[in-house]
Amino acid sequence: GRPGPELRDAAAEIFSRTANGCGHRQIAMCLRAELGGRPGPELRDAAAEIFSRTANGCGHRQIAMCLRAELGAVVADKTVLKMMRESWARSWPTRPCSR
């Protein structure tokens, strides 16, 4: 979809800061840095709580779906997978080998 007015304004402000302007990659990098591109501790805590609700836990896609539905969080499935790998989910259940 199209970016909201606050995102367009932030991008225009970043563009106006430079003397010669800048490319779209530089603007995207600056927007990620300024608007918080990483999930905060409250999102990690919410993901841990969702994971602990079920007896067997759940996967990153299910957690991402719940975060979007319950918190209105804008988060990608891969970001949740990264969070799981980095922090609390080292002991998440894995499927037994079927061989």
Side-chain angles (χ1 to χ4, degrees):
R2 295 180 55 100
E6 62 280 345
L7 193 60
R8 283 194 300 267
D9 294 343
E13 195 269 323
I14 289 169
F15 186 79
S16 67
R17 271 193 257 161
T18 59
N20 299 331
C22 52
H24 68 280
R25 286 190 178 99
Q26 289 173 321
I27 290 175
M29 186 176 65
C30 291
L31 283 173
R32 270 190 237 106
E34 291 182 12
L35 299 177
R38 296 186 171 265
E42 64 281 345
L43 198 61
R44 291 179 190 272
D45 293 342
E49 191 271 324
I50 290 168
F51 184 80
S52 66
R53 278 187 211 160
T54 59
N56 297 333
C58 50
H60 67 281
R61 290 186 181 109
Q62 183 73 29
I63 292 174
M65 186 180 67
C66 290
L67 288 172
R68 287 186 210 111
E70 295 171 14
L71 302 178
V74 178
V75 63
D77 294 349
K78 282 189 174 185
T79 304
V80 174
L81 181 60
K82 258 200 272 190
M83 285 189 326
M84 290 173 74
R85 286 186 179 152
E86 288 172 357
S87 59
W88 47 268
R90 289 198 188 346
S91 62
W92 60 329
T94 56
R95 290 184 186 162
C97 188
S98 61
R99 292 182 201 190

